């Protein structure tokens, strides 16, 4: 990659910007998810559900893989979090900072490579501050850590492809690339599809490079594929098979349905129109499409292995992510990796245009590229300002109320319970009808309180369907408005 910009200055700018973007999340550490983040309750309840089993384990010493469906899907997200909880406490801020710190450490590592510094600076401006990605970065959920693992994999893939490196260095980077790609689905199994990324990139490069590079790729491909297969076997033998019955049961009830049918074009059209081609997101999409075409044109005259591998890797990642637009239900958490793949490609192409010092149109390209960076950064700042001004703290307020009225030995039931009991350290167990913890819950658990929406949509009427009428049973209640839902805390007499 041509870099007329002094790389020490690039690194300094990158480090300063990385620190500023990291600090920009702090005003949101205790805030509710933004009102525009999703039409569903997912962002409000999923943070609690993603961490409740580990929280119960740290606080009560009781680890159950079957009381919620999350830990089975996210083992490498949950178990490392236990260490942070044990050291710093099981608070909301600790969990969010756990995700944020690990994500930014990954970005720091990649950006410290002098060939990546400028590209990662642009990536911070147009991608990490993009609305969906920014919001997801401080949620105590697994998605951004899986994405960080994918970025690491591409980084080490690129290093292993550098023709000037010694064989030992290339071998080590090849293994690390396969390792981190495997870790992405260890963190959350829904990312298992990304295992195809390395084979796809290898196949593309095989047909677009010369004999010398193909010869090097044979060893590279064997090491990466072997690493992928080894860790897939580890996952199957050490995690899936020992928990097969519970695992299969949990996965059979997952959202985000993907199926090919005669309605697939209807789903694609709806997802594009509703999620991507409206509001500020549409400009991100249009910019991406322009830069994809520009990137291909640039590859014809650019012989930089660094640019070509990063560009092809981000493009392959995007293509693999495209299966999601055929989903019947596409929640925000499934969209974030698609946006990151797009933002990564855009950052790669823009940085190359700005730093390139060749071609008749270099001044025009630099001007257009800088203008696009400013344009997308301005959009991100507008969204940041809007989100900042509209912060709400309903979940924090309910947590403070419950912390005053519960203690560590109490137990609370309900799909909202994990998100609303974090400060009390009480045990929380979610309930969903015909899925988890719904059979004779009062007799089995003897809860101190039940948390439910008034119409019980959160549990799919788990209580009413069993003849349990919470209003009649409770000796008192408190209602809170969280997002667009009226959530009731039903205090029960001693059972």
């Amino acid at each position: 990659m041509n870099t007329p910009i002094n790389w020490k200055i690039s690194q300094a700018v990158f480090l300063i910007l990385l620190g500023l973007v990291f600090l920009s999340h702090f005003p949101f550490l205790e805030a509710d998810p933004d009102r525009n983040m999703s039409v569903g309750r997912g962002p409000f309840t999923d943070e609690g559900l993603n961490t409740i089993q580990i929280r119960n384990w740290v606080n009560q010493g009781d680890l159950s893989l079957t009381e919620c469906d999350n830990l089975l899907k996210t083992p490498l997200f949950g178990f490392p979090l236990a260490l942070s909880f044990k050291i710093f406490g099981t608070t909301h801020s600790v969990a969010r900072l756990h995700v944020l710190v690990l994500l930014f450490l990954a970005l720091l590592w990649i950006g410290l490579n002098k060939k990546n510094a400028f590209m990662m600076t642009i990536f911070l401006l147009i991608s990490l501050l993009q609305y969906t990605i920014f919001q997801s970065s401080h949620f105590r959920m697994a998605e951004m850590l899986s994405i960080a693992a994918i970025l690491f994999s591409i980084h080490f893939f690129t290093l292993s492809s550098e023709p000037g490196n010694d064989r030992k260095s290339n071998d080590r980077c090849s293994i690390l690339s396969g390792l981190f790609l495997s870790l992405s689905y260890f963190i959350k199994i829904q990312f298992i599809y990304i295992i195809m990324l390395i084979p796809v990139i290898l196949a593309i490069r095989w047909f677009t490079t010369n004999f010398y590079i193909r010869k090097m790729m044979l060893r590279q491909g064997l090491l990466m594929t072997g690493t992928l297969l080894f860790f897939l076997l580890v996952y199957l033998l050490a995690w899936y098979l020992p928990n097969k019955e519970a695992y299969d049961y949990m996965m059979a009830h997952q959202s985000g349905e993907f199926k090919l049918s005669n309605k697939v074009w209807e789903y694609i059209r709806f997802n594009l129109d509703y999620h991507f081609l409206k509001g500020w997101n549409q400009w991100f999409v249009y910019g991406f499409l322009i830069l994809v075409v520009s990137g291909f044109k640039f590859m014809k005259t650019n012989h930089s292995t660094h640019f070509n591998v990063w560009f092809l890797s981000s493009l392959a990642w995007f293509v693999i992510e495209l299966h999601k637009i055929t989903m019947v239900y596409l929640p925000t958490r499934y969209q974030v990796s698609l946006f990151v793949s797009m933002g990564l490609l855009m950052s790669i192409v823009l940085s190359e245009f700005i730093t390139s010092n060749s071609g008749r149109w270099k001044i025009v390209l630099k001007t257009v590229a800088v203008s696009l960076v400013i344009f997308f950064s301005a959009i991100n700042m507008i969204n940041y300002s809007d989100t900042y001004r509209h912060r709400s703290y309903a979940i924090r307020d309910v947590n403070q109320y419950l912390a005053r009225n519960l203690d560590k030995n109490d137990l609370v039931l309900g799909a909202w319970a994990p998100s609303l009991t974090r400060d009390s350290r009480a045990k929380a167990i979610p309930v969903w009808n015909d899925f988890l913890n719904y059979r004779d819950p009062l007799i089995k658990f003897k809860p101190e309180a039940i948390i439910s929406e008034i119409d019980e949509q959160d549990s799919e009427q788990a209580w009413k369907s069993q003849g349990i009428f919470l209003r009649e049973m409770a000796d008192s209640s408190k209602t809170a408005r969280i997002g667009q839902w009226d959530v009731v805390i039903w205090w029960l007499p001693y059972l």
Side-chain angles (χ1 to χ4, degrees):
M1 180 181 289
N2 298 316
T3 52
I5 298 176
N6 185 289
W7 72 269
K8 290 186 178 180
I9 296 176
S10 294
Q11 280 196 326
V13 172
F14 165 72
L15 290 173
I16 293 170
L17 185 61
L18 184 74
L20 291 174
V21 176
F22 178 76
L23 292 175
S24 71
H25 288 271
F26 275 59
F28 301 94
L29 289 182
E30 287 292 330
D32 299 336
D34 185 61
R35 69 203 189 286
N36 296 321
M37 191 60 182
S38 174
V39 296
R41 66 178 63 83
F44 293 85
T45 58
D46 285 354
E47 287 191 88
L49 295 170
N50 267 237
T51 56
I52 189 56
Q53 288 155 286
I54 295 300
R55 199 186 82 193
N56 286 343
W57 184 32
V58 171
N59 287 336
Q60 278 78 31
D62 178 23
L63 178 64
S64 171
L65 294 178
T66 58
E67 69 184 13
C68 189
D69 62 332
N70 279 274
L71 187 56
L72 279 168
K73 300 182 298 184
T74 60
L76 205 58
F77 170 71
F79 288 111
L81 181 61
L83 180 61
S84 294
F85 275 170
K86 196 70 176 178
I87 297 173
F88 301 107
T90 58
T91 66
H92 185 54
S93 295
V94 167
R96 282 191 167 183
L97 279 170
H98 173 88
V99 173
L100 202 58
V101 168
L102 290 178
L103 170 63
F104 275 77
L105 284 176
L107 298 173
L108 174 64
W109 183 288
I110 296 171
L112 284 178
N113 182 294
K114 64 181 181 180
K115 291 186 177 182
N116 295 335
F118 192 68
M119 176 192 76
M120 293 302 292
T121 299
I122 297 178
F123 184 66
L124 288 169
L125 286 170
I126 72 172
S127 301
L128 263 292
L129 288 173
Q130 190 267 351
Y131 177 80
T132 303
I133 300 171
F134 179 83
Q135 296 296 319
S136 300
S137 296
H138 57 247
F139 285 170
R140 45 184 175 137
M141 296 170 66
E143 278 72 18
M144 289 306 296
L145 295 187
S146 289
I147 288 168
I150 297 170
L151 291 171
F152 257 138
S153 178
I154 296 174
H155 169 64
F156 285 112
F157 187 102
T158 305
L159 291 179
S160 73
S161 303
E162 295 286 354
N165 294 341
D166 60 86
R167 175 175 288 186
K168 185 176 180 180
S169 176
N170 282 345
D171 288 352
R172 182 175 64 251
C173 290
S174 296
I175 293 171
L176 286 172
S177 180
L179 166 65
F180 279 103
L181 199 65
S182 300
L183 293 184
S184 67
Y185 68 83
F186 274 63
I187 295 170
K188 187 170 186 178
I189 189 56
Q190 274 82 354
F191 281 87
I192 185 66
Y193 64 85
I194 204 65
I195 200 171
M196 292 302 300
L197 180 63
I198 284 177
V200 168
I201 303 170
L202 288 170
I204 294 172
R205 295 206 72 223
W206 181 268
F207 291 106
T208 57
T209 53
N210 57 41
F211 173 79
Y212 173 76
I213 295 179
R214 288 180 186 176
K215 185 177 179 181
M216 182 183 73
M217 284 175 58
L218 286 174
R219 184 179 181 87
Q220 180 190 37
L222 286 173
L223 286 170
M224 290 181 177
T225 305
T227 303
L228 290 174
L229 292 175
F230 172 78
F231 282 101
L232 183 60
L233 189 63
V234 169
Y235 189 93
L236 290 172
L237 296 179
W239 190 246
Y240 172 69
L241 290 179
N243 304 297
K244 184 178 185 303
E245 183 178 354
Y247 195 101
D248 290 347
Y249 178 78
M250 300 295 186
M251 295 305 293
H253 291 78
Q254 297 309 297
S255 61
E257 180 183 3
F258 168 72
K259 64 179 181 181
L260 295 177
S261 69
N262 56 2
K263 288 190 172 184
V264 68
W265 291 112
E266 180 182 333
Y267 301 147
I268 291 174
R269 185 166 57 251
F270 173 82
N271 285 326
L272 288 176
D273 291 343
Y274 189 81
H275 296 296
F276 299 100
L277 297 179
K278 72 173 188 178
W280 293 115
N281 282 348
Q282 65 181 312
W283 300 109
F284 196 78
V285 173
Y286 299 149
F288 169 79
L289 294 175
I290 292 171
L291 291 169
V292 166
V293 176
S294 303
F296 276 118
K297 289 183 176 295
F298 201 83
M299 281 185 66
K300 292 182 179 180
T301 57
N302 190 315
H303 302 291
S304 165
T305 299
H306 190 268
F307 170 80
N308 291 344
V309 175
W310 270 104
F311 177 76
L312 290 174
S313 298
S314 60
L315 180 63
W317 184 8
F318 167 76
V319 172
I320 293 171
E321 291 283 345
L322 276 180
H323 75 276
K324 293 178 179 177
I325 66 172
T326 67
M327 287 182 171
V328 180
Y329 171 57
L330 184 59
T332 308
R333 63 183 180 275
Y334 290 174
Q335 299 171 34
V336 63
S337 52
L338 179 56
F339 279 118
V340 172
S341 68
M342 295 166 66
L344 179 62
L345 184 144
M346 294 163 69
S347 303
I348 294 162
V349 177
L350 288 170
S351 66
E352 193 68 18
F353 283 167
I354 293 173
T355 59
S356 177
N357 201 28
S358 60
R360 291 179 300 170
W361 299 93
K362 63 180 181 180
I363 301 299
V364 175
L365 289 177
K366 289 177 188 290
T367 302
V368 171
V370 170
S371 298
L372 285 174
V373 172
I374 294 172
F375 176 71
F376 289 117
S377 299
I379 291 175
N380 293 338
M381 290 299 99
I382 291 170
N383 284 326
Y384 181 92
S385 176
D386 178 74
T387 306
Y388 182 87
R389 287 185 291 106
H390 289 94
R391 286 173 299 168
S392 61
Y393 296 91
I395 293 178
R396 181 199 63 184
D397 294 343
V398 175
N399 267 277
Q400 292 175 350
Y401 164 77
L402 287 173
R404 294 192 297 268
N405 292 277
L406 291 170
D407 62 40
K408 182 179 177 180
N409 298 319
D410 290 329
L411 187 145
V412 182
L413 295 180
W416 281 89
S419 291
L420 301 181
T421 57
R422 65 196 186 210
D423 294 339
S424 68
R425 301 184 68 195
K427 186 170 185 177
I429 297 177
V431 174
W432 293 285
N433 201 23
D434 296 322
F435 180 33
L436 287 179
N437 310 310
Y438 66 97
R439 292 191 178 95
D440 300 319
L442 300 183
I443 297 173
K444 181 178 179 181
F445 297 109
K446 296 180 173 57
E448 182 75 15
I450 291 173
I451 302 177
S452 172
E453 294 168 16
I454 291 178
D455 57 6
E456 298 187 14
Q457 285 293 326
D458 57 322
S459 65
E460 299 179 358
Q461 286 76 45
W463 312 103
K464 293 177 183 177
S465 65
Q466 300 182 69
I468 300 172
F469 300 100
L470 299 175
R471 187 179 299 277
E472 296 176 6
M473 293 190 59
D475 56 14
S476 63
S477 66
K478 180 179 176 62
T479 302
R481 183 72 174 177
I482 304 176
Q484 56 183 316
W485 300 273
D486 290 316
V487 180
V488 186
I489 302 161
W490 303 99
W491 293 102
L492 304 182
Y494 179 74
L495 299 174

